[in-house]
Amino acid sequence: MKKIAILGSTGSIGTQTLDVVAANPERLMVVALAAHQNDDLLEKQIRKFHPLVAALSDEQAARRLRQRYDGPTEILSGPEGVMAVATCSDADTVVGAMVGYAGLKPTLAAIAAGKNIALANKETLVAAGSLVMDAIKKKGVQLTPVDSEHSAIFQSLQGNQHKDLKRILLTASGGPFRGRSREELEHVTVEQCLHHPTWTMGTKVTIDSSTLANKGLEVIEAHWLFDAPYEKIVPIIHPQSIVHSLVEYSDGAVIAQLGVADMKLPIQYALSYPDRWPVAFDQLDLVQCGALTFFAPDTRVFRALPLAIQAGKAGGILPCVFNAANEVAVASFLQGKLTFLGIADLIEKVLEATPNVPADSYETIVEADRTARQRAEAFVGQAQ
């Protein structure tokens, strides 16, 4: 029986992780849950899965929950409550499903506490990849990727030697605007961005998918997860979202992992590894799939992707700065303060305004994130 804590239990990955738990009651037990402010959904999760402890980072939401709930689960609040979930002594595995930079500190705390990590929060590695991977090695814990693309790469690398790796082919659906020109994207709305053609995801990730910023973040994540130089990580557009990524070897062999567009499959594998549990979800029917197509991304239109790769190659604090600027840009777009094309423009301005320094400590990362957000907010204010 694997005992898990979930950071971000009310989000898209968190709720699907609980679907995986419900499908594997003899293998998985939830001992701790953390969320931001959705106290209604967290209460339902508590009553169904009976964790020892649950936390809401929003103090008011936690207060509301305490007023309604009088069961045995301990209800905590604030950043300290989230950290308590991340380091829960009864958990052996922590699922990092929080959205954005907020997932970094609790993930590092979980690693320091000796927990294995099933990581869906790509921003953790983008902002502080060196620190996180060094901590993983130092503590001797296991890190398994949850992102469908990184799970596919992880699976396609098994049984082969790292020295034989030629390229990682990182697939992207292309989002809802594949094939559009910059002129056609000048007046894109939030609602249009949120209509993803193949995946059902949270708001932030869906917006990132529409700009291809998400793929840029995933390139940086792949660099750290698989110890691969950026020159060997190649994003490609695959609209059907059936081939989740591929690995090409020095002899020309290409190994791919295929599956339906369902995050429960990579979530389950991240929790079952190195075992494979009998399938409990939708299965792929290749005959029904039809043609599978692949294209090069249009980096002139979707500029967030090359900006992310540029930041990744530069290293230091710039990947953290890219992430911070993107988070502010997406929030501003959702609030109507920034246009769709303005997201990449803002990221570029913040990167150009930031002197690069080595990302050699947690404090350096925290300061880089804070300063980048301030710069981004200032640029948004100037644009209005």
Side-chain angles (χ1 to χ4, degrees), residues 1-21:
M1 179 69 73
K2 187 170 289 187
K3 298 179 179 179
I4 68 171
I6 305 174
L7 302 173
S9 69
T10 59
S12 176
I13 296 296
T15 54
Q16 291 179 86
T17 299
L18 289 172
D19 290 339
V20 171
V21 172

Side-chain angles (χ1 to χ4, degrees), residues 56-75:
L56 284 156
S57 59
D58 185 277
E59 300 280 359
Q60 293 184 346
R63 194 176 303 117
R64 291 194 300 266
L65 180 55
R66 289 194 190 100
Q67 291 173 349
R68 298 194 305 268
Y69 178 76
D70 60 357
T73 299
E74 182 181 8
I75 307 299

Side-chain angles (χ1 to χ4, degrees), residues 14 36 72 82-83 91 98 129 135 147 157 172 175 182 215 220 282 284 301-302 309 321 335 358 364 379:
H36 176 39
V82 175
M83 294 294 279
M98 295 176 69
D147 269 351
L157 286 169
R182 287 184 63 82
K215 208 51 49 180
I220 299 172
D282 292 340
L284 179 64
V301 174
F302 299 97
I309 296 173
V321 170
Q335 295 163 9
T364 300
F379 283 133

Side-chain angles (χ1 to χ4, degrees), residues 25-141:
E26 73 286 1
R27 300 184 180 94
L28 296 171
M29 175 188 296
V30 174
V31 296
L33 296 172
H36 176 39
Q37 61 183 8
N38 192 340
D39 53 301
D40 290 332
L41 180 51
L42 183 62
E43 181 181 4
K44 293 176 183 177
Q45 294 175 346
I46 290 169
R47 294 188 184 280
K48 181 173 182 179
F49 294 97
H50 311 291
L52 300 174
V53 60
L56 284 156
S57 59
D58 185 277
E59 300 280 359
Q60 293 184 346
R63 194 176 303 117
R64 291 194 300 266
L65 180 55
R66 289 194 190 100
Q67 291 173 349
R68 298 194 305 268
Y69 178 76
D70 60 357
T73 299
E74 182 181 8
I75 307 299
L76 304 176
S77 61
E80 299 81 6
V82 175
M83 294 294 279
V85 168
T87 59
C88 177
S89 59
D90 290 273
D92 51 59
T93 301
V94 172
V95 179
M98 295 176 69
V99 176
Y101 173 82
L104 173 59
K105 188 175 181 180
T107 300
L108 284 171
I111 295 168
K115 311 300 181 185
N116 292 322
I117 306 296
L119 188 65
N121 175 258
K122 61 181 68 68
E123 293 87 351
T124 289
L125 284 178
V126 171
S130 180
L131 297 181
V132 173
M133 298 310 293
D134 286 349
I136 289 286
K137 293 173 184 175
K138 180 179 178 181
K139 295 300 295 187
V141 296

